[in-house]
Amino acid sequence: MDLQLQGKRALITGSSSGIGRAIALGLAREGVAVVIHGRDIERARATADAVLAAGGAAAVALGDLSNDSGGARVATDAAAAFGAIDILVNNSGTAQDAGWSGSTPGEWLALYDTNVVSAVRLIQALTPRMRKNSWGRVIQIGSAANPNPLPAKAAYSATKAALANLTVSLAKELAGTGITVNTISPGVTSTDAFREFARTFASSHGLQDIEAATRTLIDGPLASPSARLVEPNEIAALVAIVASPLGASINGANLRIDGGFTPTVN
Ligand SMILES: NC(=O)c1ccc[n+]([C@@H]2O[C@H](COP(=O)([O-])OP(=O)(O)OC[C@H]3O[C@@H](n4cnc5c(N)ncnc54)[C@H](OP(=O)(O)O)[C@@H]3O)[C@@H](O)[C@H]2O)c1
């Protein structure tokens, strides 16, 4: 199927690693010119080099999105790279959160800035141009921790709920402009960070290796009807569909990609 993405221009925040990197590579394969973002130049360049090696078009924009000046710089550099941004994927974020017992109010606020206001900064900077072009896509990467909040990740879960919520108000705000706004909410995904977690889990539970730890987790706390972790390239495929002109009627949605982990109708 031709997703009609050829020639579009995307900024994928947090594409220096993990899910964001997979989204950037996936969009680039569909002919999208991608702006790779992170705070670390080496990690961001490594993703950009992978896009270029695969025959795609890539540029790099660096900056900390948890403050206004960093957000403004990323938006300016990203728009300058290919002339404008048609597709904004707000993926950057962190799950570093010590839960109800360990996080101070200040840490809740800082996480909100990093995971939520980061997206707001780029939305406010980049959607005016999308309006002028009468076309655009804004996609927030949420989490299964929104519909199924975790006490050990209480602040993180709340930030993901906020992203899903602002998606709907923004879709209403941009009604009739040709811009759609959606949240894509993954379950636990097979990234380097998960493998690191599985390594620690294996040694603390007397398990042989990462594979044994992963199976124990999938059979236990991470049980889902699909009985597997989410793969980053599966999230990339869903992003590509939502970002494409063929996704014009997907709007204001929260699309779960969690193997059925969230046990609700929607
Ligand atoms: N992995 C999962 O199982 C899972 C499940 C559900 C949802 N998610 C969500 O998916 C997204 C990506 O997760 P991931 O596991 O791929 O994460 P990751 O590998 O840790 O990558 C996080 C990315 O965000 C960037 N970032 C973090 N804080 C930033 C800040 N203050 N300013 C600018 N950039 C910042 C990092 O840039 P640097 O290179 O500078 O560090 C990195 O590129 C996150 O929003 C996460 O909440 C993940």
Side-chain angles (χ1 to χ4, degrees):
M1 180 183 289
D2 176 11
L3 291 178
Q4 303 170 13
L5 280 165
Q6 190 74 39
K8 300 289 188 200
R9 300 154 292 186
L11 165 62
I12 305 98
T13 68
S15 42
S16 56
S17 76
I19 293 169
R21 177 184 162 96
I23 293 170
L25 287 163
L27 288 176
R29 269 194 298 276
E30 296 299 321
V32 177
V34 292
V35 180
I36 307 303
H37 161 264
R39 292 162 298 181
D40 181 275
I41 180 126
E42 299 303 326
R43 281 152 53 83
R45 279 226 180 104
T47 302
D49 287 347
V51 170
L52 296 171
V60 167
L62 297 174
D64 186 341
L65 296 174
S66 67
N67 62 70
D68 288 351
S69 58
R73 193 171 62 247
V74 171
T76 302
D77 291 352
F82 298 110
I85 293 297
D86 308 301
I87 300 164
L88 168 62
V89 183
N90 286 312
N91 162 80
S92 81
T94 177
Q96 281 174 17
D97 170 11
W100 276 113
S101 57
S103 295
T104 64
E107 286 164 344
W108 276 71
L109 200 52
L111 197 64
Y112 193 82
D113 225 343
T114 298
N115 284 4
V116 183
V117 190
S118 52
V120 173
R121 292 183 175 103
L122 295 178
I123 287 165
Q124 292 188 331
L126 296 173
T127 55
R129 178 66 184 269
M130 293 181 194
R131 266 183 193 264
K132 271 193 196 147
N133 292 348
S134 301
W135 198 91
R137 298 285 182 262
V138 179
I139 298 171
Q140 274 67 247
I141 301 301
S143 169
N146 160 31
N148 192 4
L150 311 165
K153 297 280 176 197
Y156 171 75
S157 303
T159 63
K160 294 302 185 179
L163 284 175
N165 183 288
L166 71 81
T167 285
V168 179
S169 63
L170 184 63
K172 292 176 183 172
E173 173 76 10
L174 296 175
T177 62
I179 306 169
T180 66
V181 190
N182 292 285
T183 303
I184 288 177
S185 293
V188 175
T189 303
S190 178
T191 59
D192 287 346
F194 175 81
R195 281 182 281 282
E196 196 48 49
F197 169 72
R199 194 189 319 279
T200 310
F201 187 88
S203 59
S204 63
H205 288 73
L207 298 165
Q208 199 182 351
D209 51 24
I210 292 180
E211 285 67 36
T214 302
R215 183 42 56 195
T216 300
L217 288 161
I218 289 172
D219 289 343
L222 300 183
S224 75
S226 290
R228 64 199 287 283
L229 299 176
V230 182
E231 292 296 328
N233 65 352
E234 296 163 355
I235 301 167
L238 183 54
V239 168
I241 291 167
V242 172
S244 81
L246 298 177
S249 292
I250 306 171
N251 202 359
N254 178 23
L255 303 171
R256 289 188 281 110
I257 174 163
D258 63 3
F261 176 77
T262 307
T264 63
V265 173
N266 206 344

